[in-house]
Amino acid sequence: MKDPVRIHVEKDFEIGKVDERIFSSFAEHLGRCIYTGLYEPTHPLADEDGFRTDVLDLVRELGVSHIRYPGGNFLSGYDWRDGIGPKDQRPRRLDLAWKTIEPNQFGIDEFYDWCRKAGTKIMGGVNMGTGSPRDAAQLVEYCNFPGGTALSDLRRANGHKDPMDIRLWCIGNEMDGDWQICHLDAIDYGKKALEAAKMMKWTDDTIECVVCGSATATMPTFPEWDRQVLELTYENVDYLSMHRYYENEGNDTDFLASFKDMDSFISTLTATADYVKAYKRSKKTMYFSFDEWNVWYQHNQKPHPWMEAPELIEDRYSLLDALTFSGLGMTLINHADRIRIACLAQIVNVIAPILTERGGRVIRQTTYYPFKYLSLYSKGTALRPVVRTPKLETRYGDAEAVYTSAVYDEEGGFVTLFCLNIGKEEQLLDLDLNSFGRLKMVERIELSGDDLSAVNTFDQPDAVAPKQLPVDGKTDARFEAKIPGLSWNVLRFKVQ
Ligand code: AHR
């Protein structure tokens, strides 16, 4: 008989408090994310503001903390003034980032109203491509200044008497990428971002700013870009951004082990930021905003004619994608000491957990479920479990067959384990939770299935969904649980 996988969770092995902003998402003016995703005034379920209520319901259920807006690559060519004021006077523009026509029927005022209905907060973005530090500070003034200036009074005239109180701002997007409108090198970007951050914080000293890190780990300038940008901005910004997407390149085990690569990406940038801290003799520790992460089949992109809201990058996620995705989400928890914000890119239609039909139905994609349960059950402190598990050989080196995250909710008295089994074999888990005293297992959720390529469709919306398993209700400090091969599991205990 093979050995069980031993998981020992110790109350004192703290990684850090899980910041609720780790479960944030992203809405970009891209494809059908905004138009026919969040906003579709002609839809039968649209409310008085033109927002799709079926989408709002699913966003609320998902448990999203903040939503990053308005981009993405779109941000670097966007003039926020185009999206305010009477809708019939707003300009139609070419969006050069995604080669689409932007009707500007949805802007910061509409997004603010949408977020209030969705129960989320805004993570704003300022344009560092065609935009200036002045434009950036003026957007902060428009949104957050109480009144008595031209811009704050304009917001009041546009229907928002009270300040929007947007506390978190991205200073540009992926400025290291040559695909970015008005891309800059690290020195030019660092200097511009510094001046923007200063002006934005002088306008509102309660805000926090995120400076652009490398667009991905495969950039030739990674991690030198991050070092240079941080050296220029360190004392004036609060977070460095990280972006990372994964796709299946043919080997399922490698794909499932993407969490290993994400883990080393985070470790590299942590070391880079700590180098800058030492070099600058700073007392301040830099934290991270992982503000784009997901599974994304980037090789599937096709050209399209100029039009409004085309179907762009609407990946359909399989069970296998959802398993890989769960490992990425767990990695954020396992780095809770340094990651304070993370955005699942994106929220609706565009590489998203929620998919709509124009004028029609809405479904939860497979990735919806891991995000929902990670967000719901990761309140508290992330703990570092000691796990004895078989290893699998992957392109990222040896990876744990059973990858684990643990969260202790001191207030509610819950211990939650998330276990991803990337091996084909069933595993018996031997769980040692002695440091918590006696506990009762109160919930078990399993995401698994015979067909890894299964997806949810509009006609079969629940083809892939997690199962709630029975729990035996015994009170103990040691538990056993069998998990199937290729499965994601949530095991939740209540301290007695
Ligand atoms: O999320 C899709 C795109 O991916 C974003 O616009 C960009 O920032 C990234 O390259």
Side-chain angles (χ1 to χ4, degrees):
M1 222 177 60
K2 65 176 182 169
D3 287 341
V5 171
R6 296 224 156 78
I7 302 180
H8 179 189
V9 184
E10 206 35 69
K11 204 193 235 174
D12 291 337
F13 289 2
E14 293 187 0
I15 300 173
K17 188 122 191 70
V18 182
D19 193 314
E20 61 163 28
R21 296 173 301 174
I22 284 184
F23 302 103
S24 295
S25 189
F26 176 28
E28 178 167 3
H29 285 249
L30 193 184
R32 299 194 307 116
C33 181
I34 305 295
Y35 305 108
T36 74
L38 311 190
Y39 179 76
E40 191 174 4
T42 54
H43 192 278
L45 294 175
D47 68 9
E48 65 288 358
D49 290 320
F51 305 152
R52 283 186 63 155
T53 54
D54 51 351
V55 172
L56 277 169
D57 288 344
L58 291 195
V59 174
R60 274 191 293 264
E61 180 190 322
L62 194 56
V64 182
S65 163
H66 283 60
I67 300 194
R68 182 169 174 249
Y69 173 87
N73 297 339
F74 173 79
L75 178 66
S76 299
Y78 182 55
D79 184 346
W80 61 267
R81 292 175 179 83
D82 288 345
I84 61 170
K87 288 191 179 178
D88 58 356
Q89 289 166 33
R90 297 187 195 174
R92 289 168 63 76
R93 301 261 188 223
L94 295 184
D95 163 32
L96 302 182
W98 297 103
K99 317 272 183 306
T100 56
I101 295 175
E102 170 55 52
N104 280 310
Q105 293 303 292
F106 191 98
I108 189 66
D109 286 294
E110 287 77 24
F111 189 59
Y112 177 73
D113 291 338
W114 184 89
C115 282
R116 286 174 62 129
K117 290 184 177 175
T120 67
K121 295 198 179 101
I122 299 179
M123 179 180 191
V126 296
N127 174 351
M128 288 289 106
T130 58
S132 66
R134 182 170 182 261
D135 295 324
Q138 289 193 336
L139 175 58
V140 175
E141 180 184 342
Y142 177 82
C143 294
N144 288 1
F145 200 75
T149 65
L151 287 170
S152 54
D153 287 345
L154 186 56
R155 179 200 68 239
R156 293 166 69 95
N158 287 339
H160 292 117
K161 200 166 135 298
D162 295 326
M164 294 181 186
D165 197 23
I166 302 174
R167 294 286 175 94
L168 204 50
W169 292 89
C170 297
I171 307 190
N173 175 70
E174 296 189 348
M175 294 305 296
D176 56 331
D178 60 6
W179 60 87
Q180 205 65 217
I181 297 171
C182 297
H183 142 76
L184 296 170
D185 67 25
I187 304 296
D188 287 346
Y189 168 68
K191 286 181 178 167
K192 186 170 179 181
L194 173 66
E195 297 312 315
K198 279 161 54 185
M199 288 181 72
M200 290 162 73
K201 289 187 174 194
W202 286 337
T203 304
D204 179 351
D205 62 8
T206 68
I207 65 167
E208 292 186 311
C209 293
V210 182
V211 76
C212 289
S214 291
T216 185
T218 53
M219 296 299 288
T221 47
F222 169 79
E224 187 59 1
W225 164 279
D226 306 80
R227 179 189 71 75
Q228 291 179 310
V229 168
L230 282 180
E231 279 189 24
L232 287 162
T233 58
Y234 201 83
E235 298 300 339
N236 294 74
V237 301
D238 305 279
Y239 307 96
L240 177 73
S241 81
M242 298 183 184
H243 290 181
R244 200 80 177 95
Y245 294 97
Y246 293 91
E247 67 186 291
N248 190 348
E249 290 174 19
N251 180 317
D252 289 358
T253 309
D254 284 348
F255 180 47
L256 284 160
S258 299
F259 63 82
K260 277 219 57 99
D261 183 71
M262 189 169 180
D263 179 76
S264 71
F265 179 54
I266 296 170
S267 300
T268 303
L269 285 177
T270 303
T272 307
D274 289 348
Y275 164 82
V276 177
K277 176 181 181 177
Y279 178 66
K280 296 191 83 76
R281 277 73 173 154
S282 177
K283 292 210 168 8
K284 169 176 166 181
T285 298
M286 185 58 58
Y287 293 96
F288 299 103
S289 169
F290 211 126
D291 42 48
E292 288 188 33
W293 68 274
N294 204 348
V295 169
W296 175 9
Y297 288 87
Q298 301 203 34
H299 294 117
N300 290 349
Q301 292 182 65
K302 295 181 202 83
H304 59 274
W306 284 103
M307 61 186 283
E308 274 181 44
E311 272 181 33
L312 285 185
I313 56 176
E314 298 197 5
D315 287 2
R316 305 296 159 105
Y317 292 117
S318 66
L319 170 60
L320 178 63
D321 295 324
L323 297 178
T324 302
F325 175 95
S326 70
L328 304 178
M330 287 161 63
T331 306
L332 298 170
I333 294 170
N334 290 346
H335 285 272
D337 51 339
R338 297 300 286 270
I339 298 195
R340 293 289 157 86
I341 304 149
C343 306
L344 158 59
Q346 299 193 3
I347 186 72
V348 183
N349 290 334
V350 172
I351 44 173
I354 299 169
L355 196 63
T356 69
E357 288 176 322
R358 257 179 235 274
R361 299 167 284 181
V362 65
I363 55 168
R364 297 172 185 83
Q365 293 232 58
T366 60
T367 51
Y368 185 94
Y369 296 105
F371 188 95
K372 171 178 162 173
Y373 288 110
L374 287 167
S375 157
L376 196 62
Y377 290 152
S378 297
K379 301 186 176 22
T381 303
L383 303 177
R384 172 121 21 244
V386 179
V387 184
R388 199 177 320 145
T389 165
K391 298 272 173 73
L392 299 176
E393 229 180 273
T394 74
R395 64 184 282 200
Y396 305 118
D398 287 348
E400 297 91 324
V402 176
Y403 180 54
T404 307
S405 300
V407 180
Y408 177 36
D409 169 3
E410 302 88 335
E411 235 171 77
F414 289 100
V415 178
T416 304
L417 300 186
F418 302 104
C419 298
L420 169 66
N421 184 1
I422 66 166
K424 293 197 175 88
E425 289 178 31
E426 174 185 86
Q427 297 288 354
L428 176 65
L429 308 183
D430 171 8
L431 310 174
D432 178 351
L433 306 177
N434 262 296
S435 66
F436 300 93
R438 295 173 73 74
L439 309 95
K440 199 181 257 186
M441 189 189 277
V442 288
E443 191 172 8
R444 255 195 85 174
I445 298 166
E446 182 185 296
L447 183 64
S448 63
D450 298 333
D451 180 5
L452 285 178
S453 63
V455 297
N456 291 338
T457 62
F458 289 101
D459 293 329
Q460 281 195 297
D462 301 318
V464 180
K467 296 187 278 276
Q468 291 275 348
L469 302 185
V471 287
D472 70 5
K474 76 167 182 169
T475 303
D476 209 335
R478 203 115 189 196
F479 295 84
E480 282 191 346
K482 272 195 190 140
I483 59 169
L486 301 169
S487 65
W488 184 66
N489 303 270
V490 183
L491 299 102
R492 195 158 152 79
F493 300 88
K494 175 97 174 98
V495 179
Q496 298 301 293

